[in-house]
Amino acid sequence: MIFEALKPQVETIITNDTKTTNERLLDVCKLLEKQVSYYNWVGFYFKNGNKNELKLGPYVGEPTDHTIIPFGKGICGQVAVSNENFVVPDVSAQDNYIACSITVKAEIVIPIFVNGENIGQIDIDSNTANPFTEADERFLEFVCQKVAKLL
């Protein structure tokens, strides 16, 4: 499985202390977008200080206007409130979906916890309908655990 092969590469990126945190996060995005064929946009959102909103962090893919997302709005905003993974097999079926691109068919968002607090998330869009499996969830949880050690 590709995810098992990617885990050591993620660890290598995260532990490379010659780069800044943002450089390492961007390298994780690049790795995932390049190696997983149906990951078409990969990025991080983080809680914006004491505000109830998310701020876009490093990402790879089409540019987005969604640099600030209020808690509760869209898939990312819902994960900020629920503290749970959110897998969307068909974004057109979601009434609280923020469209970033007409090519996006599915989305997966996994929260990042530091000391039990949801401080951000990894957000992945796919131009393939219903591509995400439980294996994606478990792998992305692993990625988020590793990223949490940086923050």
Side-chain angles (χ1 to χ4, degrees), residues 93-142:
Q94 285 291 317
D95 58 358
N96 192 9
Y97 173 69
I98 303 172
C100 293
S101 167
I102 58 168
T103 60
V104 175
K105 304 273 190 279
E107 183 174 11
I108 185 169
V109 179
I110 308 293
I112 302 168
F113 295 97
V114 174
N115 299 322
E117 182 186 354
N118 181 349
I119 57 90
Q121 53 202 227
I122 191 167
D123 177 22
I124 298 176
D125 291 341
S126 179
N127 299 339
T128 304
N130 196 16
F132 304 116
T133 66
E134 191 173 322
D136 291 276
E137 274 194 84
R138 299 297 83 84
F139 171 67
L140 294 171
E141 287 169 350
F142 166 86

Side-chain angles (χ1 to χ4, degrees), residues 35-55:
Q35 296 298 322
V36 184
S37 62
Y38 52 92
Y39 286 12
N40 303 112
W41 191 98
V42 179
F44 291 96
Y45 280 93
F46 294 102
K47 187 166 190 265
N48 191 10
N50 291 328
K51 299 176 184 171
N52 283 334
E53 64 185 25
L54 297 165
K55 185 175 183 179

Side-chain angles (χ1 to χ4, degrees), residues 22-97:
N22 277 350
E23 287 171 332
R24 288 185 256 182
L25 292 173
L26 182 60
D27 285 348
V28 168
C29 293
K30 288 177 181 176
L31 174 72
L32 300 186
E33 190 271 337
K34 182 178 180 190
Q35 296 298 322
V36 184
S37 62
Y38 52 92
Y39 286 12
N40 303 112
W41 191 98
V42 179
F44 291 96
Y45 280 93
F46 294 102
K47 187 166 190 265
N48 191 10
N50 291 328
K51 299 176 184 171
N52 283 334
E53 64 185 25
L54 297 165
K55 185 175 183 179
L56 181 62
Y59 73 95
V60 173
E62 291 291 317
T64 179
D65 294 334
H66 304 266
T67 56
I68 300 290
I69 298 176
F71 281 14
K73 186 160 174 53
I75 308 307
C76 291
Q78 290 177 73
V79 169
V81 174
S82 72
N83 298 321
E84 294 177 3
N85 298 352
F86 201 152
V87 180
V88 182
D90 177 5
V91 296
S92 69
Q94 285 291 317
D95 58 358
N96 192 9
Y97 173 69

